[in-house]
Amino acid sequence: MRVVVTGGAGFIGSHLCDAFHANGDEVWVIDDLSSGRANRLHEGVRLYRESVRNASRLCELVTDIQPELICHLAAQVDVRESVASPGKDAEANVLGTINVLEAARAVGARMVFSSTGGAIYGQDAPVPSSESTFPAPGSPYGVAKYCSEQYVGLYNRLFGSEHAVLRFSNVYGPRQGSFGEAGVVSVFCANSIQGKPITIFGDGKQTRDYVYVADCVAAFMAAADYGKAGIWNIGTGTEVGVLELAELVNRFARSDSQLVFAPARAGELTRSALACELAAQDLGWQPATSLADGVQAVVRWFEAGAPDRTSL
Ligand SMILES: NC(=O)c1ccc[n+]([C@@H]2O[C@H](COP(=O)([O-])OP(=O)(O)OC[C@H]3O[C@@H](n4cnc5c(N)ncnc54)[C@H](O)[C@@H]3O)[C@@H](O)[C@H]2O)c1
């Protein structure tokens, strides 16, 4: 299969490229390298440094490549940045997605879109949240992802495509940057193995659903194989407290890093977890990696110097 991965030089995207390449698929990456790194890519994967905001160039590239599948992961992923610059966020995350949909339409490719769960369902959603929860995003990032999902559905209705949406919970694993809120496992691991304090915002009782990156890659592969449209939550359904996570990290890093409490951050979700029965039923997908195993893999990765290329 010929596959394009937008945002393929990023944390999740680069692991996805490895999986397609290992399958014998031909893989092209379109990434502006704003946060991604070319060194994460296997030498057999071809990289075009381009922004998904550039509609005409994107369409040219995709028309040259003629992929059957486009996995769309390129995005502005920083929630706080989206609050600071909502217009810029929408340019990358909404217009970028429309441009990818148009490029896919030009060549008849199917798209699998990387969306988000917690940021879409919002503060008052039942936990764990199912796909039928009415969305009430709490940030421009969440609105942009939800808006993009609406375009994906619209293209399916207008043009008969079978594009799919995966709503991820908090993804973690080797190659994730140790900055920003999406990388809390990485931030904690990086600090813990150096014996630096771990900062916890609020009382540490806020919960998240942490899903290992290899399980996300498996979800993309399952959605690609399934071939039909749909929206699926991809998480574990399990709530883990931030304080509990910090203690787990210290245990596996054999560290006694001090836990330091800082004021809660405005707008932060209190609880979040995704119900994933639909993905099990339709895609035959279930998370296979326990939090203990996943955190140990991240600790080992940092201990090895956080290399760009690493197997899962
Ligand atoms: N990490 C998570 O916990 C999580 C959770 C839910 C959804 N997601 C989604 O998964 C996708 C991948 O996230 P990630 O954690 O790997 O982030 P990441 O920042 O590591 O990867 C994003 C990639 O997109 C590239 N990019 C950004 N803007 C671009 C543009 N305009 N044109 C082309 N490339 C661009 C970056 O250079 C980077 O390589 C994103 O769409 C994100 O919203 C991630």
Side-chain angles (χ1 to χ4, degrees), residues 93-279:
N93 291 358
V94 182
L95 293 180
T97 302
I98 295 171
N99 294 339
V100 175
L101 283 165
E102 278 295 282
R105 188 161 78 91
V107 298
R110 183 165 172 257
M111 186 180 99
V112 180
F113 173 57
S114 189
S115 190
T116 169
I120 278 188
Y121 297 128
Q123 175 65 29
D124 298 324
V127 178
S129 314
S130 73
E131 292 84 349
S132 60
T133 305
F134 188 75
S139 65
Y141 169 79
V143 169
K145 286 287 183 182
Y146 183 51
C147 183
S148 295
E149 289 189 2
Q150 293 297 307
Y151 274 100
V152 172
L154 174 71
Y155 271 61
N156 287 346
R157 291 191 296 278
L158 277 182
F159 305 115
S161 49
E162 295 282 353
H163 303 317
V165 172
L166 299 177
R167 289 180 176 166
F168 292 108
S169 63
N170 281 54
V171 186
Y172 73 98
R175 295 187 194 163
Q176 186 171 36
S178 52
F179 54 86
E181 62 188 306
V184 62
V185 173
S186 276
V187 175
F188 284 6
C189 288
N191 285 3
S192 182
I193 65 167
Q194 294 177 76
K196 289 185 182 165
I198 293 177
T199 304
I200 291 170
F201 296 97
D203 60 8
K205 289 184 185 151
Q206 64 273 43
T207 62
R208 295 291 179 271
D209 176 344
Y210 297 100
V211 62
Y212 190 59
V213 67
D215 289 326
C216 293
V217 168
F220 267 108
M221 299 312 233
D225 285 348
Y226 186 66
K228 290 188 218 148
I231 297 180
W232 295 281
N233 280 347
I234 301 297
T236 67
T238 306
E239 286 181 82
V240 177
V242 171
L243 191 57
E244 191 187 333
L245 177 71
E247 284 162 355
L248 192 75
V249 165
N250 263 351
R251 175 144 57 90
F252 289 126
R254 299 167 303 280
S255 165
D256 56 3
S257 276
Q258 196 191 349
L259 307 184
V260 179
F261 289 85
R265 286 183 294 195
E268 202 182 348
L269 284 180
T270 318
R271 293 176 66 201
S272 181
L274 303 184
C276 299
E277 285 75 14
L278 199 61

Side-chain angles (χ1 to χ4, degrees), residues 16-99:
L16 184 60
C17 290
D18 282 349
F20 281 123
H21 185 265
N23 250 1
D25 298 317
E26 286 184 77
V27 190
W28 284 261
V29 164
I30 298 176
D31 194 305
D32 68 358
L33 300 184
S34 51
S35 67
R37 283 203 296 279
N39 287 346
R40 285 180 173 142
L41 298 173
H42 187 281
E43 57 194 15
V45 171
R46 280 152 282 190
L47 168 69
Y48 287 111
R49 184 173 187 173
E50 190 52 77
S51 172
V52 293
R53 287 174 303 172
N54 187 343
S56 56
R57 186 69 187 126
L58 181 69
C59 202
E60 265 172 36
L61 289 174
V62 169
T63 302
D64 280 351
I65 297 166
Q66 292 285 319
E68 287 127 283
L69 178 70
I70 301 178
C71 293
H72 176 40
L73 291 86
Q76 189 301 110
V77 301
D78 188 328
V79 174
R80 271 165 289 172
E81 180 60 30
S82 82
V83 176
S85 306
K88 231 171 116 188
D89 179 81
E91 275 176 24
N93 291 358
V94 182
L95 293 180
T97 302
I98 295 171
N99 294 339

